[in-house]
Amino acid sequence: MKNENKKHSALHEKDVISATEIISSNAVAAIQIFRKKQPTSEELIEGILNGNISALSRAITLVESTNASHLAKANEVINACLPHANKSVRIGITGVPGVGKSSFIEAFGKHLTGLGKKVAVLAVDPSSTISHGSILGDKTRMEELVKDPNAYIRPSASGETLGGVARKTRETITLCEAAGFDTILIETVGVGQSETAVHSMVDFFLLLKISGAGDELQGIKRGIMEMADAIVINKADGDNIKKAEMAKAEFNRALHLFPAKKSGWTPKTSTCSALTHKGIPEVWNTIVEFLKLTKENNYFFEKRKEQNQYWMLETINEQLKTNFYNHSDIQKLLESTKKAVQNDEISPFAAAQELLEMYFKK
Ligand code: GDP
């Protein structure tokens, strides 16, 4: 029995050794495969410029990464893509949840690919960290577009701040354009500040609405209406057609009360149905008209220049803020300084000044 045990344990020992060997050789192989799978910047750039979707997706993941070591590689890829970007139309689409954004993008996107366009669909949803992507998360309403080889759909980047999410989307636009996408649709939820961020990265801003009970203008933020280049009343089908037409007339009247736009464009209102596709081609025709006008009067190009400058300044603001609050000395002092300010021991301005001076002296 004793002998048998010994034999058993000897066998066991041998087994353990060989198992360890297998595991470690597998681990090395796995690491080698993993390393091989991590493309270099050059490979990514070449892939993107050749329209390779997996290279594009990997580069976007790099841009979205919070890992500091990925930043340099991401910047290298973006810089190489820049000369190949810019040849697109960027369209922002907003509307409250349930208005039919996903359904509209599916119908509109299919219409565009039918015209021979290459369509990328992106989203700005700063809440996606919590809700795990409330928009573009539900791909069931984009069933056809998902399968379309000329369409690329990417859910919102996650992030703690709108600024961070927006910056990542802004860079993703560059990558998609370099990969040959000529029409970029950027969806955002019609709540909060995200419309302003999307508005500052698109050429054309479309507000999607549905008809209500005759009080169309209630609850709609003036700022959002002012940003809109077109207001499209969706779900104009079945019993709803008449109500949608009435809503259209009401929005039209309201839009005429706003001052003329710098673009020289008069915002248009129309109705459509994402379900029956009625009115969908007309939305694209409106955008074509807008592009013709704003390219002729140069507004299109001037606005893009302004937007580039805006994103540089935004990135500086965002980076400075992040660095400041993440600085260990500031973190150590911030809580006690907040208390001192609450107790009137120091004025808020003097306290801010002290912290800032300390930070910049470092
Ligand atoms: P989102 O939350 O804005 O993305 O809206 P969805 O695209 O998810 O649509 C919300 C609901 O409205 C779904 O049940 C859709 O089927 C429905 N819907 C969307 N577009 C239309 C339309 O044009 N007509 C009708 N009748 N229903 C629609």
Side-chain angles (χ1 to χ4, degrees), residues 95-105 134-136 138 141-142 187 189 208 210 234-238 240 272-277:
V96 294
V99 77
K101 289 183 296 301
S102 316
S103 315
F104 174 84
I105 290 171
S134 58
I135 55 175
L136 282 185
D138 183 5
R141 284 193 232 300
M142 294 196 203
E187 176 188 1
V189 270
L208 216 54
I210 41 174
N234 188 32
K235 305 196 188 182
D237 45 44
N240 225 1
C272 81
S273 166
L275 209 66
T276 66
H277 295 195

Side-chain angles (χ1 to χ4, degrees), residues 38 56 88 102 144 150 154 208 211 228 298:
Q38 292 300 309
L56 172 65
S88 74
S102 316
E144 292 301 315
N150 287 318
R154 179 89 184 184
L208 216 54
S211 62
N298 223 30

Side-chain angles (χ1 to χ4, degrees), residues 119-304:
V119 180
V121 183
L122 313 175
V124 172
D125 178 11
S127 68
S128 67
T129 323
I130 307 152
S131 62
H132 299 292
S134 58
I135 55 175
L136 282 185
D138 183 5
K139 293 232 181 113
T140 52
R141 284 193 232 300
M142 294 196 203
E143 246 175 9
E144 292 301 315
L145 203 57
V146 165
K147 285 184 273 178
D148 195 320
N150 287 318
Y152 176 71
I153 301 178
R154 179 89 184 184
S156 176
S158 57
E160 275 152 29
T161 63
L162 170 64
V165 172
R167 179 187 61 76
K168 290 168 187 176
T169 311
R170 180 65 186 77
E171 296 189 330
T172 299
I173 295 176
T174 302
L175 299 176
C176 289
E177 290 178 352
F181 289 95
D182 53 32
T183 315
I184 317 283
L185 307 182
I186 304 165
E187 176 188 1
T188 190
V189 270
V191 283
Q193 287 292 306
S194 51
E195 283 98 347
T196 315
V198 170
H199 183 249
S200 62
M201 59 177 92
V202 297
D203 308 309
F204 190 92
F205 197 68
L206 192 156
L207 171 63
L208 216 54
K209 294 287 296 174
I210 41 174
S211 62
D215 52 356
E216 316 301 351
L217 301 174
Q218 272 185 23
I220 177 164
K221 282 178 237 124
R222 187 191 155 92
I224 293 174
M225 262 187 77
E226 241 166 341
M227 280 192 278
D229 295 302
I231 296 180
V232 179
I233 324 287
N234 188 32
K235 305 196 188 182
D237 45 44
D239 296 343
N240 225 1
I241 297 180
K242 231 188 186 147
K243 272 200 280 178
E245 285 299 329
M246 276 158 63
K248 177 185 131 177
E250 196 171 336
F251 277 114
N252 218 1
R253 268 196 302 276
L255 279 177
H256 279 99
L257 299 176
F258 287 121
K261 284 184 169 250
K262 243 170 60 187
S263 56
W265 172 254
T266 312
K268 299 271 181 298
T269 47
S270 68
T271 61
C272 81
S273 166
L275 209 66
T276 66
H277 295 195
K278 197 159 185 294
I280 297 285
E282 286 76 0
V283 175
W284 175 243
N285 296 343
T286 298
I287 295 172
V288 170
E289 224 182 288
F290 171 88
L291 292 173
K292 187 171 176 291
L293 175 86
T294 56
K295 282 184 178 175
E296 273 169 12
N297 69 16
N298 223 30
Y299 175 82
F300 179 92
F301 307 102
E302 288 302 320
K303 188 176 173 198
R304 281 203 171 182

Side-chain angles (χ1 to χ4, degrees), residues 26-134:
N26 275 350
V28 170
I31 289 169
Q32 279 169 343
I33 291 169
F34 181 70
R35 286 213 177 124
K36 244 189 211 155
K37 274 190 173 167
Q38 292 300 309
T40 61
S41 313
E42 290 72 30
E43 284 169 335
L44 282 178
I45 295 160
E46 199 192 324
I48 293 171
L49 298 182
N50 284 329
N52 180 311
I53 294 299
S54 94
L56 172 65
S57 292
R58 274 164 174 269
I60 296 174
T61 306
L62 209 59
V63 162
E64 289 175 352
S65 167
T66 47
N67 183 331
S69 69
H70 290 160
L71 191 67
K73 195 171 171 185
N75 283 342
E76 203 182 320
V77 175
I78 290 164
N79 275 339
C81 285
L82 263 181
H84 307 273
N86 263 322
K87 299 175 191 90
S88 74
V89 50
R90 304 166 185 163
I91 303 163
I93 297 168
T94 190
V96 294
V99 77
K101 289 183 296 301
S102 316
S103 315
F104 174 84
I105 290 171
E106 160 96 341
F108 189 54
K110 284 301 289 180
H111 176 69
L112 294 177
T113 58
L115 294 175
K117 307 212 165 289
K118 287 195 76 183
V119 180
V121 183
L122 313 175
V124 172
D125 178 11
S127 68
S128 67
T129 323
I130 307 152
S131 62
H132 299 292
S134 58

